[in-house]
Amino acid sequence: MTTELYHVVTGQRMELGQVIHMDEDYPTGVYERVMAKLPLVEDMLAHPEAYAGQEIEHHTDVAIRELAMEAVRREHFPQYPSRMHSLYASSSLENARCWFQWFTDWGRPTLQIVKLRVDGRVFTGNANLCFDGTLDEAENRQKAMRYWQVGEDPDGERPIWETIADGRIEVVEIVHEAEGGGGEDF
């Protein structure tokens, strides 16, 4: 199925006509950061008592979450793309503009918004349902299930939609080019 999405480009500009093939063999930044923490996460989850009371560092916390997300996806939602092997996008230009502004406000180099044609799997979830990983595997899996089911936000927050896509992804339009190094408002 072909889908049109919008992507906020950070790091390196994209070009009109550029094609990316996202699949389980494509090593995204998310995947690389999670794999770098895998030995530590495996030890933490195998021996939670040894880590009890310690603050979990941000990238380790994210790795715990993403590993739980991937396990639940593979088990219950294999029709959806993997968060670790996908391009993050938006289903509307309005939503992409919001992400562009958030990235800019966070100080992330934000370069473009591009329109994409996606021939692959697509999933839209509520980014508010991403969670801090814990040493409790059952709790992590329960929260991952809520994310993939696009369940209710326990805090009652308005959804922040994020779309992930894999497969053949082509840049079909450069919608917005940031001047200079990026980061300006619309």
Side-chain angles (χ1 to χ4, degrees):
M1 181 167 121
T2 301
T3 307
E4 288 188 342
L5 300 174
Y6 297 87
H7 174 62
V8 178
V9 180
T10 62
Q12 185 175 347
R13 293 185 187 279
M14 298 184 88
E15 297 180 20
L16 188 62
Q18 182 176 348
V19 175
I20 304 168
H21 294 276
M22 301 292 292
D23 61 22
E24 304 262 334
D25 294 326
Y26 191 93
T28 65
V30 173
Y31 174 81
E32 289 173 351
R33 288 186 296 275
V34 168
M35 290 302 109
K37 295 291 183 173
L38 185 60
L40 174 60
V41 169
E42 287 176 338
D43 189 60
M44 292 174 83
L45 296 175
H47 310 288
E49 66 286 347
Y51 297 91
Q54 294 180 28
E55 185 174 333
I56 300 175
E57 180 269 334
H58 171 72
H59 291 293
T60 305
D61 161 347
V62 169
I64 292 170
R65 175 188 71 218
E66 293 302 329
L67 289 166
M69 293 279 231
E70 183 63 7
V72 168
R73 183 196 69 81
R74 284 178 184 262
E75 189 175 324
H76 298 284
F77 305 98
Q79 72 275 22
Y80 296 147
S82 167
R83 289 173 51 85
M84 293 195 293
H85 300 283
S86 291
L87 188 68
Y88 284 70
S90 298
S91 58
S92 72
L93 181 54
E94 177 185 354
N95 188 264
R97 285 183 169 148
C98 288
W99 282 104
F100 187 100
Q101 190 60 54
W102 287 326
F103 289 161
T104 299
D105 292 347
W106 297 334
R108 189 171 180 180
T110 309
L111 308 172
Q112 299 168 300
I113 296 178
V114 298
K115 185 175 185 179
L116 307 170
R117 180 180 303 122
V118 177
D119 293 311
R121 298 179 297 176
V122 173
F123 172 79
T124 298
N126 180 356
N128 284 335
L129 297 179
C130 288
F131 54 92
D132 293 335
T134 72
L135 298 177
D136 184 337
E137 283 187 88
E139 179 183 342
N140 294 331
R141 288 180 63 84
Q142 177 186 15
K143 289 177 179 178
M145 183 67 82
R146 182 183 297 136
Y147 173 84
W148 289 112
Q149 291 174 329
V150 193
E152 298 241 352
D153 184 333
D155 298 327
E157 297 289 326
R158 192 175 123 228
I160 298 175
W161 300 115
E162 65 179 6
T163 300
I164 57 174
D166 69 5
R168 184 183 186 279
I169 301 171
E170 180 180 0
V171 177
V172 296
E173 181 182 346
I174 306 294
V175 176
H176 176 73
E177 261 314 322
E179 295 179 24
E184 81 281 349
D185 296 339
F186 280 94

